[in-house]
Amino acid sequence: PEFQTIHYGDLQSYLPDTDLIGVFLETEGDFYALLMLVFDEETGYNAAGELMGISVQDRNKRSMNIEDVQSVLSELTNIVGSSLLNEMANRTSLAITPTVPHFVHGKASDLLSYIDAKENPDRDSRFIYISTDFLREDTELLGRMFMLPNRPELMDLVKRIR
């Protein structure tokens, strides 16, 4: 995957211009961060439908229940996010635990409002952006994963990476 850092003020340019689906995963323990996996709405429905075994023509919001999409994409975020967090914990000996996912379906402004509501004084102004391609059989789906860490804990994490 592609990794880069982006400033909070530039985040909107990395988000879909259309309706989106995002799932947030916060961390607890020795390292706090806010992770989010974001899809444009069509790709989010397609990803959920693929994972549920729904036929290609029925992978859309007219045919699918949003609660099912929420459940499947929350689980996908748990799997992808926990994998990343477990690797970070293993390399640093820090206790890093994910919380229950939070689902957002709407506009980029809805996603940004959720982030702003967190009001964390130690939150960094830079995100780590990870372009994620999900490959399954004949399907390739582009997702966007972002991590917004706390600056002091990020510095400690970087020092501990082995």
Side-chain angles (χ1 to χ4, degrees), residues 23 48 52 65-78 101 103:
V23 183
M52 290 189 291
N65 182 317
I66 190 63
E67 287 82 16
D68 291 338
V69 173
Q70 176 178 348
S71 177
V72 169
L73 294 183
S74 293
E75 186 58 31
L76 178 63
T77 302
N78 254 336
F103 185 80

Side-chain angles (χ1 to χ4, degrees), residues 25-34 85 94-100 153:
L25 194 62
E26 291 183 74
T27 64
E28 298 176 325
D30 297 331
F31 177 77
Y32 177 82
L34 184 62
L85 296 173
L94 293 171
I96 306 172
T97 308
T99 62
V100 175
E153 293 161 358

Side-chain angles (χ1 to χ4, degrees), residues 4-158:
Q4 65 186 79
T5 60
I6 58 171
H7 191 274
Y8 179 75
D10 296 329
L11 178 61
Q12 187 139 3
S13 66
Y14 287 81
L15 299 175
D17 295 332
T18 60
D19 283 352
L20 58 77
I21 294 175
V23 183
F24 288 90
L25 194 62
E26 291 183 74
T27 64
E28 298 176 325
D30 297 331
F31 177 77
Y32 177 82
L34 184 62
L35 278 79
M36 58 183 176
L37 182 60
V38 181
F39 295 100
D40 64 79
E41 184 180 62
E42 182 180 339
T43 303
Y45 274 91
N46 197 14
E50 169 75 21
L51 293 169
M52 290 189 291
I54 293 175
S55 64
V56 173
Q57 66 270 17
D58 290 331
R59 294 178 193 168
N60 56 62
K61 70 182 190 178
R62 288 181 313 283
S63 302
M64 295 174 66
N65 182 317
I66 190 63
E67 287 82 16
D68 291 338
V69 173
Q70 176 178 348
S71 177
V72 169
L73 294 183
S74 293
E75 186 58 31
L76 178 63
T77 302
N78 254 336
I79 292 166
V80 173
S82 293
S83 176
L84 175 66
L85 296 173
N86 284 339
E87 185 63 23
M88 290 168 55
N90 289 339
R91 289 177 175 248
T92 62
S93 299
L94 293 171
I96 306 172
T97 308
T99 62
V100 175
H102 176 80
F103 185 80
V104 174
H105 180 213
K107 304 283 184 203
S109 59
D110 298 319
L111 193 121
L112 296 171
S113 293
Y114 182 80
I115 296 168
D116 290 340
K118 290 298 170 184
E119 294 184 10
N120 184 337
D122 290 327
R123 182 177 72 195
D124 202 335
S125 62
R126 299 192 74 76
F127 282 86
I128 298 170
Y129 168 63
I130 308 160
S131 174
T132 51
D133 287 333
F134 296 97
L135 305 172
R136 184 174 168 179
E137 296 172 7
D138 295 334
T139 306
E140 180 178 1
L141 304 165
L142 174 65
R144 301 160 180 92
M145 178 162 267
F146 300 89
M147 181 169 53
L148 181 59
N150 276 359
R151 182 173 291 271
E153 293 161 358
L154 177 62
M155 302 308 289
D156 184 39
L157 179 120
V158 169

